[in-house]
Amino acid sequence: MQKKKIKCIAVFTSGGDAPGMNAAIRAVTRAALANKVEVYGINYGFHGMIENDFWKLNYEDIGGIINLGGTILKTARCKEFVTYEGRQKAYKNLKERNIDGVVVIGGDGSFNGATCFSSEFDIPFIGIPGTIDNDINGTDYTIGFDTALNTVVRAVDKIKDTARSHGRIFFVESMGREAGLLALGSGLACGAEVILIPEVMEQEEELDKFIQKGIANKKTSGIILVAEGYKTGGALKLAERVKAKHPDIEARVSILGHIQRGGSPTAQDRIAATRMGVAAVDSLLAGKKNLMIGLKNHAIVEVPFSLAEKAFRPINSEFVRIQKVITRD
Ligand code: ATP
């Protein structure tokens, strides 16, 4: 069968925002226009696709956005797209504009939505992984991770000043409901005494050891980095537990929250976003579909959506091991 020529594409962002999404929108738009392909932006993810919230993108629309956090196309989660009727409305809106292919920038939930849509309708989707959690299988990297990592490190560096000055233990909570790579990476980068992540249970023993050692040496300052999804509770619960057992210890809690999602993307995020954006357009022009663009060993790869699942992504065991080595006395 002859490949259909791509003349018009759409791009949108979906799920949680991540720094670097704008750089990806810019790269997709520029790569498409360079190939004489028209581009529509869709506001608010699948919701805008259903509600017909499209706008034509040209060079001037994506000027000056490479350094901006958030997403100029806004983002959303959309229950209606999970229904066939919702997807049918979305299809009608895409068809009315003669859109031949779509680039979705988001997490694996958004890729599931795209997979579902493409099994019913004849419009191909290509995905770009955008999430600060870096938790998608098949790619070493997701857009937003490096910026979030640096935000956590800078925040913890400041908290460490107070921890040391007052002899306090700080339980610092990073984002990561199911994935601990942000906590693990930032914990290593700022020299956290203990890192607690959802994927590794025995780390709580490390916390007990650290507390006991501190009591024995009369040294009680330190950083415990906790991913919000840690199985037996986040930073608040852990701090309460320690305070209940050791009332003399000065434990404080700092929940970093949404500062981790915002801010100007780092050079690494901008470069990854630009590479992935261009690769996504290349894949659509080559007639491909249902693929996520990823980075493996610093090279661009195409990963079927069916493999790009959070659940398949193992934690970096080398990072876990080296944290144990460098905190061992
Ligand atoms: P993040 O991990 O940052 O939240 P995500 O892309 O994984 O990003 P989700 O909220 O899981 O975010 O999914 C985004 C949207 O994708 C959902 O709101 C829904 O509209 C659509 N979606 C997800 N799964 C399906 C599915 N099985 N069928 C149809 N649509 C889906």
Side-chain angles (χ1 to χ4, degrees), residues 2 9 29 36 58 61 65-66 73 81 129 144 185 200 203 211 216 223 227 234 244 246 257 292 299 306:
Q2 216 191 341
I9 65 167
T29 306
K36 311 238 171 316
N58 221 315
D61 300 307
I65 66 167
I66 195 167
L73 294 178
F81 198 79
V200 184
Q203 296 260 317
I211 301 283
I223 298 291
H246 308 283
M292 173 190 75
S306 57

Side-chain angles (χ1 to χ4, degrees), residues 14-17 46-47 76-83 87 105-114 116-117 130-133 135 177 261 310:
S14 176
D17 67 312
F46 290 118
H47 178 75
R77 299 194 167 89
C78 172
K79 287 204 178 109
E80 203 183 345
F81 198 79
V82 182
T83 67
R87 293 192 294 275
I105 306 164
D108 66 341
S110 304
F111 301 157
N112 284 336
C116 194
F117 181 91
T131 159
I132 64 163
D133 292 332
D135 58 351
R177 277 198 304 268
R261 286 251 290 266
K310 273 184 198 175

Side-chain angles (χ1 to χ4, degrees), residues 247-318:
D248 293 342
I249 288 182
E250 279 216 65
R252 295 286 188 278
V253 174
S254 186
I255 296 174
L256 300 181
H258 280 82
I259 61 160
Q260 296 161 91
R261 286 251 290 266
S264 179
T266 59
Q268 186 174 337
D269 275 326
R270 296 181 202 190
I271 293 168
T274 303
R275 293 177 72 190
M276 289 179 181
V278 172
V281 173
D282 287 345
S283 296
L284 278 178
L285 294 179
K288 300 187 180 164
K289 63 175 185 176
N290 280 357
L291 294 173
M292 173 190 75
I293 301 297
L295 278 171
K296 272 272 169 200
N297 302 319
H298 306 287
I300 289 284
V301 289
E302 294 175 330
V303 183
F305 278 153
S306 57
L307 298 179
E309 287 272 338
K310 273 184 198 175
F312 300 158
R313 168 104 191 220
I315 193 72
N316 185 328
S317 56
E318 187 215 341

